Amino acid sequence: MGHLNDIGNAILDVVRAEEAGLIAVRRDLHAHPELSFQEVRTAGVVAAELARLGIACRTGVGGTGVIADIQGGRPGITLAIRGDMDALPIEERTGLPFASQNNGVMHACGHDVHTSTLLGVAAILKRLAPEMSGTVRLLFQPAEEVLGGARAMIAEGALDGVDMALGYHNHPDIPVGSFGAVQGATYAACDRFRLVVRGVSGHAAYPQTTVDPIVAAAHLITGLQTIVSREVGAIDSCVVTIGAIHAGTVHNIIPDSCELLGTVRTLTDSIRERAEQAVFRFCAGLETSFRTPCDLDWNPGVPPTLNAPHVLETSVAAIRRQLGDVFVAGEPSMGAEDFSLIASAVPSFVLRIGSGTPGRSDQLHNSGYQPDEACIALGATALARAALELMARYSNPR
Ligand code: NI
């Protein structure tokens, strides 16, 4: 790699030239959001932008994913950088001129920004490719919101030959211009479950002639909370949430069954296993206590997302050289990321890119969410610099 100042200036030159175009792409994607595994138009925009940059790509990977390799001028490792592309089933209420034109679908998690950011990385690294050691593999991933896209792309070879990976997410809790890097587990494991408490229906006035699944479910819901308070240590982290409950029709009928939908979030494999076993135990005990057999359908999601110390440290140092002292303290999030499947396969780091506007209290998955668009150029700059230094360093181990 050339002189560090030269690299920094070259990155800035590309970003200055591309920023307006990247924002235009982001606004176009924002106006045309697509749900998980339906990112057909989005993938088309990505392929067209890559073609404009002179970068060949493979489309239809893992459904609607796009993969593009940029070869460096020198041999070295292969570094994957992943950006997700899907939107959410939310009715947009931002009132923006480029608001969603698809009713009930919105880029409320900023994956439009992520897609545009990765195109910015592509532009920078294509320009600097002669200076680069190794190969960068850009992964434009579908279906992160349903935790399905990473698995689908990996199954179709997205990580074949990959040595290391970078991920990123916009963070409205971090002011734009600042970044976050969390040691160890940065995002949680996510498992989901559906359970049906089975009773015997009858007249509400004669509960003794019925087996009431609603009373049993009420005990179960409060009992499950004791997994966190009584079975997991206070220093460890675990969330058990019942997000939906469905039972009954009217006031004078005890129904036959009660359905519950829930999720468990944990930061380590051992707490994850322990929580799962406890949910099964509570369900099994319900029949003994309340005469209500319980069908539990456990849907394993994704493991915790772990940052590899050496990838994190090299990336943070590189970004500081490019942008200055831009990192703010952060803590693990109990939200989940299917990038965790990539981070489980190769040493990885997820960069948190500040997208918050001072004076606003935006939240991801909110119908009014507006990331500060300056985060696109800043994110692309940071990721490209981190990638260049990771590849220089680990292609030529010292
Ligand atoms: Ni997201």
Side-chain angles (χ1 to χ4, degrees):
M1 193 160 58
H3 190 271
L4 290 173
N5 283 340
D6 296 342
I7 295 290
N9 288 331
I11 291 174
L12 278 181
D13 284 346
V14 180
V15 167
R16 280 200 198 100
E18 295 285 334
E19 182 171 12
L22 293 171
I23 289 174
V25 167
R26 181 263 160 166
R27 292 183 178 190
D28 174 60
L29 297 177
H30 192 85
H32 302 95
E34 294 171 303
L35 292 174
S36 303
F37 286 125
Q38 298 172 30
E39 307 89 339
V40 176
R41 183 184 181 281
T42 306
V45 170
V46 166
E49 286 297 307
L50 291 170
R52 180 180 67 80
L53 295 167
I55 301 169
C57 69
R58 189 178 141 207
T59 57
V61 183
T64 43
V66 180
I67 295 183
D69 283 356
I70 303 173
Q71 298 278 347
R74 301 178 197 135
I77 62 167
T78 297
L79 174 88
I81 311 178
R82 176 277 218 167
D84 42 15
M85 305 190 290
D86 54 330
L88 286 160
I90 293 177
E91 185 73 40
E92 177 160 353
R93 297 187 203 287
T94 61
L96 291 167
F98 52 89
S100 172
Q101 295 174 19
N102 297 348
N103 285 340
V105 184
M106 176 188 176
H107 270 297
C109 199
H111 297 187
D112 50 346
V113 164
H114 296 173
T115 305
S116 174
T117 299
L118 196 53
L119 289 169
V121 173
I124 297 167
L125 296 183
K126 177 67 179 173
R127 183 79 61 86
L128 292 179
E131 303 285 330
M132 198 166 78
S133 305
T135 302
V136 162
R137 176 165 301 167
L138 306 173
L139 304 176
F140 293 89
Q141 186 202 297
E144 192 282 329
E145 295 292 356
V146 297
L147 303 178
R151 188 174 272 117
M153 286 190 84
I154 293 168
E156 294 191 18
L159 293 184
D160 291 357
V162 169
D163 300 291
M164 203 174 265
L166 289 174
Y168 56 99
H169 206 289
N170 75 102
H171 268 250
D173 55 326
I174 300 175
V176 70
S178 294
F179 294 81
V182 174
Q183 299 280 353
T186 185
Y187 297 112
C190 167
D191 297 307
R192 291 160 287 188
F193 59 87
R194 172 180 179 268
L195 59 88
V196 179
V197 180
R198 303 218 175 269
V200 177
S201 59
H203 200 294
Y206 315 109
Q208 73 278 16
T209 67
T210 76
V211 176
D212 187 345
I214 291 185
V215 168
H219 279 266
L220 179 64
I221 291 165
T222 50
L224 289 173
Q225 292 309 313
T226 67
I227 296 171
V228 176
S229 65
R230 303 291 85 181
E231 298 198 38
V232 171
I235 306 301
D236 293 315
S237 301
C238 180
V239 173
V240 178
T241 292
I242 300 294
I245 171 166
H246 304 118
T249 50
V250 289
H251 66 277
N252 63 348
I253 300 173
I254 290 169
D256 271 315
S257 66
C258 179
E259 181 197 51
L260 307 173
L261 303 177
T263 183
V264 175
R265 308 300 176 101
T266 49
L267 293 176
T268 66
D269 290 337
S270 65
I271 300 295
R272 186 183 183 198
E273 277 167 36
R274 188 157 181 179
E276 177 183 344
Q277 286 165 7
V279 173
F280 273 91
R281 204 184 63 242
F282 269 96
C283 289
L286 214 59
E287 181 164 11
T288 311
S289 306
F290 294 95
R291 300 171 291 152
T292 48
C294 192
D295 303 334
L296 174 56
D297 181 9
W298 188 266
N299 180 359
V302 295
T305 305
L306 300 177
N307 283 331
H310 64 292
V311 185
L312 180 150
E313 274 150 31
T314 303
S315 300
V316 166
I319 294 166
R320 283 206 177 107
R321 271 190 280 280
Q322 179 77 32
L323 292 170
D325 192 11
V326 290
F327 282 89
V328 296
E331 54 194 17
S333 159
M334 298 310 283
E337 243 296 346
D338 78 352
F339 182 81
S340 61
L341 296 170
I342 296 171
S344 305
V346 294
S348 297
F349 166 54
V350 182
L351 176 67
R352 296 181 177 187
I353 300 173
S355 59
T357 307
R360 289 183 59 97
S361 54
D362 282 298
Q363 298 227 22
L364 297 175
H365 294 210
N366 179 284
S367 59
Y369 180 52
Q370 295 180 41
D372 191 312
E373 289 176 324
C375 74
I376 297 170
L378 287 160
T381 301
L383 289 164
R385 181 64 182 248
L388 286 166
E389 294 205 23
L390 284 166
M391 295 167 78
R393 172 150 187 191
Y394 293 102
S395 294
N396 308 291
R398 278 170 286 184

